């Protein structure tokens, strides 16, 4: 699985300052076929300063779920560290 981008990234409004919820369209390729799937993820800062990321796919994707979640978490971590999240 290769992740190309997350399109239409929107941040949900939450009353908690340490929790950010996002939705978007994940553009990825599995083999030679490029596909798009809806992804929802949450970044939550813990008391120790770490960031916990949870990822969910509201609809099914054409890739094994556990490896897909790991790759998306790594991609989101890169977005967060470079300041490209809203």
């Amino acid at each position: 699985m290769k992740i190309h981008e997350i399109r239409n990234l929107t941040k949900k409004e939450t009353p908690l300052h340490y929790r950010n919820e996002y939705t978007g369209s994940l553009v990825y390729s599995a083999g030679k076929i490029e596909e798009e799937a809806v992804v929802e993820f949450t970044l939550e800062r813990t008391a120790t300063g770490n960031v916990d990321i949870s990822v969910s796919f509201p609809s099914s994707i054409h890739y094994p779920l556990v490896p897909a979640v790991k790759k998306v978490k790594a991609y989101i971590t890169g977005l967060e560290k470079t300041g490209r999240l809203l």
Side-chain angles (χ1 to χ4, degrees):
M1 174 182 215
K2 181 179 179 189
I3 298 174
H4 300 286
E5 66 177 322
I6 298 178
R7 293 183 187 155
N8 304 324
L9 188 63
T10 58
K11 182 178 178 182
K12 295 180 183 178
E13 292 297 323
T14 59
L16 306 172
H17 68 280
Y18 58 88
R19 183 180 174 111
N20 295 317
E21 297 179 5
Y22 299 90
T23 60
S25 297
L26 176 70
V27 180
Y28 68 97
S29 58
K32 296 181 180 181
I33 300 171
E34 188 173 294
E35 298 185 35
E36 193 168 335
V38 176
V39 64
E40 296 177 346
F41 59 95
T42 303
L43 279 75
E44 186 169 345
R45 295 217 180 270
T46 63
T48 59
N50 295 330
V51 177
D52 289 336
I53 300 172
S54 59
V55 176
S56 66
F57 298 98
S59 58
S60 64
I61 60 170
H62 296 102
Y63 199 80
L65 187 60
V66 173
V69 168
K70 285 183 181 181
K71 292 219 180 232
V72 171
K73 282 184 178 183
Y75 184 80
I76 292 168
T77 300
L79 290 177
E80 198 263 334
K81 286 186 178 181
T82 58
R84 292 188 284 166
L85 288 177
L86 306 172

